[in-house]
Amino acid sequence: MKWLWPLLRGISIGFFLNTSLVKADSDLGQTLWVNTGFYTAHFDQNKGLRNANPGLGIELSLNDTYSFTAGGFKNSDNQHSDYLGMYVMPWRWHSWKVGAVAGVFDGYPRAHQGGWFPALIPVVSLEGTQWGLNTAIIPNVKDKLYGGISFQLKYKLTH
């Protein structure tokens, strides 16, 4: 039941942002997305890593280029991780966006003893009218993090 508190926290944050910030500033074009974690196809399949990384997160788009993101998930080492960051997606073609997410993560035992660490991750995003998909390339960090291609399905709560 360790997942219950992060789930409730994420729902509370999403509800607050949905009802307070986004609706109050709807004329600014903010969009709120919610996601249920990641699926990661690891480059090294022989490490016994967890590919399914369930969790709960939000993404608050400020405009077509910048979005805040925060959430929690069960990481590839079977530990709980939290994250906080900002997407910067300067290139756009139809429904596709390309850029990176800059942020901080925790919960990886071999990276900073499970504490917070910074990350810069390349991302390609496809955003439809109601559903979206973020695809990230996670680099290998020797003896600390195992890389892969990570997929994050997201659902648009507000327009």
Side-chain angles (χ1 to χ4, degrees):
M1 296 286 280
K2 287 183 177 182
W3 56 269
L4 185 58
W5 173 242
L7 176 66
L8 292 175
R9 182 178 57 201
I11 290 170
S12 298
I13 291 169
F15 180 76
F16 171 77
L17 289 172
N18 185 27
T19 58
S20 300
L21 300 176
V22 176
K23 290 190 189 267
D25 292 330
S26 60
D27 57 330
L28 297 177
Q30 293 177 334
T31 302
L32 181 66
W33 298 85
V34 64
N35 70 69
T36 57
F38 306 88
Y39 179 86
T40 305
H42 291 93
F43 299 136
D44 189 345
Q45 293 292 315
N46 299 323
K47 297 281 186 190
L49 300 169
R50 181 184 183 95
N51 289 331
N53 309 121
L56 185 65
I58 58 169
E59 182 180 328
L60 179 63
S61 300
L62 302 176
N63 55 39
D64 277 345
T65 302
Y66 299 100
S67 300
F68 288 114
T69 186
F73 62 99
K74 185 168 269 265
N75 68 33
S76 301
D77 292 323
N78 265 332
Q79 303 295 314
H80 178 79
S81 285
D82 292 304
Y83 62 91
L84 179 65
M86 176 172 274
Y87 285 98
V88 180
M89 308 293 276
W91 299 287
R92 185 176 185 95
W93 183 70
H94 298 285
S95 296
W96 294 90
K97 293 181 178 182
V98 177
V101 61
V104 291
F105 291 80
D106 75 353
Y108 289 87
R110 291 181 296 279
H112 302 277
Q113 295 82 38
W116 291 95
F117 62 92
L120 181 63
I121 301 169
V123 177
V124 174
S125 184
L126 175 63
E127 295 181 348
T129 56
Q130 204 64 46
W131 292 93
L133 179 69
N134 295 330
T135 304
I137 301 169
I138 312 297
N140 280 319
V141 178
K142 187 177 179 172
D143 298 325
K144 294 184 181 181
L145 296 172
Y146 300 105
I149 299 177
S150 188
F151 304 94
Q152 182 184 54
L153 188 63
K154 59 186 183 179
Y155 179 78
K156 190 183 292 185
L157 291 179
T158 63
H159 301 280

